[in-house]
Each structure stands twice: as C-alpha cells, then as structure tokens.
Amino acid sequence: MAKLFFRYAAMNSGKSTQLLQIANNYESMGKTVALYTSAIDDRYGVGKITSRLNIQREALTFSPQLDFLSQDYGETACILIDEAQFMTPEQVRQLHELAHTRGIPVICFGLRSDFRGHPFPGSSWLLSLAEDVEEIKTICQCGKKATMHIRIAPDGQRVKEGPQVSIGGEAQYRAVCGQCFYQL
Ligand SMILES: [Zn+2]
C-alpha cells in the first residue's frame, strides 16, 4: 500500500542527502524514480538536487502551477520531492491522491517552518495528510535538538522579518533549538 511520506527538519540537516540515497536504493534494484525540486530553489542551478556532500542529480521542477495528477508516471516506482515546503496545499493533496489511487509512494523532504517560526502552507498540509511523518534530527550550537532556523544577513546580523522565501540570494540560515531561537 503506497503512502505519502513527510520527512521534515530544520535547515542544513542533510535532507537532500537522504533523498538521493533513497533514489539510489530504488535504482540499484532496477527501478525508476521521479525526482522533483522547487523551481524557485536556484542555489545550484535550476532542476538540480545537491547534497552537502556534493553529490548532485538533475531533477524535474515544480512551480505552483504544476498539476501532479496530470503527469504520466508510467513505471515510476517512487516520487521523491525536495524543498517540499514550497508546494501549494493543492499540490500536497494531489500527491496524497496519487499515492492512494495509483499506488506510487511519494516521499517529501522539507522544512516545517520558516526563519520567523511561521509554518509553510505546504508543510502544514503535509503534516496533516502524510501517513508517515518523521523528523530528521539536527543539533543546535548549544547541543540541544534544533527544531527551527534563523536567517543571517551578510553582515552577520540576524534577520527577523522579511519575505518567507529568500533562497539563492545572500541570506544564510542556521538551525537552532527553540530556546536559542528566542534568545539569540
Ligand atoms: Zn540552542
């Protein structure tokens, strides 16, 4: 029985590395996977999933307009989605339906909240609909589990307000625990 999976974490948790490992496992069994990343994540060039260990794969991209249900997945054994927080609620619904009507497992990797501690709409829906939800653990600089992240400007100052999406630009992020989120 195929399911919708959500693997969430703070920034810099090795999500993409895990995703590429799963793709590899399927392919080593001679199966085909569909890889997606957000069209707005151009950190490594459009349509690429890059792990921090410098492994890179080409991927399909999703913009808010993409209708997952209208795609032809043929013999695809698994759909893997990176940067899943950028999906629309409707797209999460489509993937949930796809898993249950076409029997293709869909594994989504993404952030739960943004640098302000506000939820991403796509992640809220994933947390509501995914049958299998798991946290990828990361450590804060203080040693506690990091559950959030903060945005750091090029001058090293923390940024507390601004647009939810600012990737591929100058901003840097650091995974932190809840206590450091409020005290830094
Ligand atoms: Zn901390």
Side-chain angles (χ1 to χ4, degrees), residues 82-100:
D82 202 13
E83 307 295 349
Q85 71 273 8
F86 295 132
M87 289 195 292
T88 65
E90 179 59 26
Q91 286 174 323
V92 176
R93 169 72 78 185
Q94 290 163 5
L95 291 172
H96 187 248
E97 185 175 336
L98 211 147
H100 291 284

Side-chain angles (χ1 to χ4, degrees), residues 22-42:
I22 294 171
N24 220 283
N25 293 347
Y26 271 96
E27 288 164 345
S28 68
M29 296 184 290
K31 296 180 191 283
T32 306
V33 296
L35 302 181
Y36 282 96
T37 190
S38 167
I40 55 175
D41 183 356
D42 59 357

Side-chain angles (χ1 to χ4, degrees), residues 140-145 176-181:
C140 178
Q141 60 184 7
C142 73
K144 292 196 193 71
K145 185 176 79 172
V176 295
C177 71
Q179 197 177 355
C180 291
F181 181 85

Side-chain angles (χ1 to χ4, degrees), residues 11 42-43 150-157 159 163 165-174:
M11 296 289 288
D42 59 357
R43 274 180 297 177
I150 57 176
R151 183 182 285 175
I152 312 282
D155 64 3
Q157 293 297 304
V159 183
V165 180
S166 171
I167 53 174
E170 298 287 284
Q172 301 244 317
Y173 295 91
R174 190 194 306 159

Side-chain angles (χ1 to χ4, degrees), residues 6-19 108-110 133-139 145-147:
F6 185 34
R7 301 287 178 256
Y8 68 89
M11 296 289 288
N12 309 331
S13 63
K15 289 188 296 300
S16 302
T17 306
Q18 285 203 17
L19 185 154
C108 300
F109 289 80
V133 176
E134 202 173 279
E135 181 176 31
I136 301 170
K137 294 185 176 59
T138 322
I139 301 293
K145 185 176 79 172
T147 53

